[in-house]
Amino acid sequence: MSTSPSFSAYKKSPYRSIKHNTYFSVYDHLFSKFRNKKIVFIEIGVLAGGSLFMWRNFFGSKARIIGVDMNPDAKKWEKYGFEIFIGSQSDENFWRNFREKIGKIDIVLDDGGHTYDQQIITTEMLLENIKDGGLLVIEDTHTSYMKGFGATKYSFINYTKNMIDKINRRFSKLSDDKNEKRIWSIEIFESIVAFCVNKKHSSLVSEPTDNGGKNDNSIDYRYEDNQAIKDLEYINKFLKYIPGFKFIIKQLKFFLLKVNSKSKIFFR
Ligand SMILES: C[S@@+](CC[C@H](N)C(=O)[O-])C[C@H]1O[C@@H](n2cnc3c(N)ncnc32)[C@H](O)[C@@H]1O
């Protein structure tokens, strides 16, 4: 940790900040490319002000550092050159107003109240304003496995899984109006989820392409590792001309793949 730029920025902060020791390598990994740039950085959760100074140390003087907290005392940090907004991250109207004032954002880091509603509403309300190449990072996502932060069914991690499904719906055969068109990719760390925003890449519907090279008609060995399916293929060779038989074989294949799952032991 001694060589971590975010950790040394944290230690240099004159005011108290509380961060988990595993977060500094994640901050370095995600945020390094934004250092010394003219960026707009928002942190939800100001508390004792220490992380505002940490981010100023880390990103440099060109960065606009904006803190959001429900506690009106946080306004006192404005005299140090930070912008402070007072309101609740679970209040959609607060965010509408905020978006109008702030405009486009490079990074959002949510270290606020950590309930699922707070994390999800913040994400849904701010994604739209994040620039292509920007990040929305939610920390302390371990609360999704704990009591006291909301309904487990609607936890932030379940929301993230739903988001993965919506990203994969960009595949042409699955495509529908639920496709995710803002988040290009998701990086998941212990207790941190980072949404990488790129509306340009995310709006492309996935279609197969062909480079037009010479085809040597190679056989696809996809099912060669499954003896039961190989047996079915063998029977199919002789009986495929019987009407409806091909369809039955296909359904049997799908069934066998399902019930003979070798990988289910890895879902523990
Ligand atoms: C974990 S502390 C922030 C720590 C700070 N980022 C640091 O590194 O030291 C959480 C902060 O979130 C604020 N908070 C809690 N619920 C909130 C909400 N609904 N909206 C905005 N801020 C909230 C609390 O007032 C508290 O200051």
Side-chain angles (χ1 to χ4, degrees):
M1 253 183 344
S2 59
T3 57
S4 156
S6 61
F7 183 69
S8 67
Y10 168 77
K11 291 299 275 184
K12 256 195 257 157
S13 172
Y15 291 94
R16 185 171 183 241
S17 168
I18 34 176
K19 298 285 188 199
H20 293 254
N21 61 348
T22 50
Y23 291 2
F24 300 103
S25 51
V26 179
Y27 296 147
D28 294 341
H29 168 73
L30 291 172
F31 299 157
S32 284
K33 68 174 180 192
F34 296 92
R35 294 181 81 194
N36 302 314
K37 303 242 166 75
K38 209 171 158 234
I39 60 155
V40 177
F41 175 87
I42 322 278
E43 184 172 37
I44 298 134
V46 172
L47 202 65
S51 56
L52 294 170
F53 291 86
M54 166 190 178
W55 297 121
R56 162 74 65 239
N57 293 338
F58 181 80
F59 289 113
S61 57
K62 285 190 239 164
R64 199 172 153 195
I65 309 287
I66 302 170
V68 172
D69 208 290
M70 266 186 98
N71 184 349
D73 284 351
K75 273 279 180 196
K76 69 181 178 218
W77 302 110
E78 283 189 334
K79 61 177 177 281
Y80 297 94
F82 303 110
E83 291 169 61
I84 305 294
F85 285 77
I86 303 301
S88 176
Q89 65 177 139
S90 59
D91 176 355
E92 294 185 21
N93 279 330
F94 165 73
W95 286 126
R96 279 188 198 101
N97 201 11
F98 178 89
R99 285 189 318 212
E100 250 173 54
K101 290 191 176 121
I102 298 303
K104 291 288 175 197
I105 301 164
D106 293 277
I107 301 172
V108 171
L109 178 65
D110 178 4
D111 185 21
H114 311 307
T115 71
Y116 316 146
D117 276 352
Q118 289 163 349
Q119 293 169 328
I120 294 167
I121 290 169
T122 300
T123 304
E124 286 293 329
M125 295 307 289
L126 292 182
L127 269 177
E128 203 47 47
N129 276 47
I130 297 187
K131 294 178 194 168
D132 276 7
L135 297 166
L136 190 145
V137 181
I138 305 285
E139 59 186 41
D140 289 10
T141 53
H142 46 244
T143 59
S144 283
Y145 307 92
M146 295 162 74
K147 284 202 171 88
F149 293 91
T152 311
K153 189 174 173 201
Y154 302 111
S155 74
F156 186 76
I157 290 298
N158 284 347
Y159 168 82
T160 305
K161 165 64 171 70
N162 194 45
M163 198 58 91
I164 295 171
D165 297 338
K166 284 158 87 174
I167 288 173
N168 281 316
R169 279 209 192 96
R170 295 202 289 260
F171 174 61
S172 52
K173 284 190 181 160
L174 306 173
S175 191
D176 62 19
D177 60 352
K178 288 185 183 145
N179 289 3
E180 171 51 38
K181 295 187 183 75
R182 304 154 301 180
I183 297 168
W184 186 39
S185 64
I186 305 177
E187 272 199 77
I188 294 167
F189 308 86
E190 173 263 313
S191 299
I192 296 182
V193 171
F195 293 125
C196 310
V197 175
N198 194 310
K199 289 162 201 128
K200 187 175 164 236
H201 294 336
S202 307
S203 61
L204 193 65
V205 174
S206 158
E207 303 276 5
T209 69
D210 189 320
N211 73 348
K214 196 170 159 196
N215 187 355
D216 73 348
N217 293 314
S218 295
I219 295 162
D220 185 342
Y221 268 48
R222 184 177 309 179
Y223 298 120
E224 282 296 304
D225 60 353
N226 189 317
Q227 192 54 49
I229 294 213
K230 277 174 76 179
D231 293 345
L232 268 182
E233 291 282 10
Y234 184 74
I235 300 167
N236 192 34
K237 242 191 224 171
F238 301 101
L239 305 177
K240 67 182 170 191
Y241 301 107
I242 301 172
F245 195 77
K246 227 171 151 182
F247 174 78
I248 294 166
I249 290 285
K250 196 173 163 190
Q251 296 308 313
L252 263 174
K253 243 188 203 177
F254 291 170
F255 175 75
L256 283 173
L257 277 171
K258 240 194 239 177
V259 295
N260 287 339
S261 166
K262 286 193 276 187
S263 47
K264 64 183 170 205
I265 55 160
F266 300 112
F267 285 75
R268 285 187 296 219

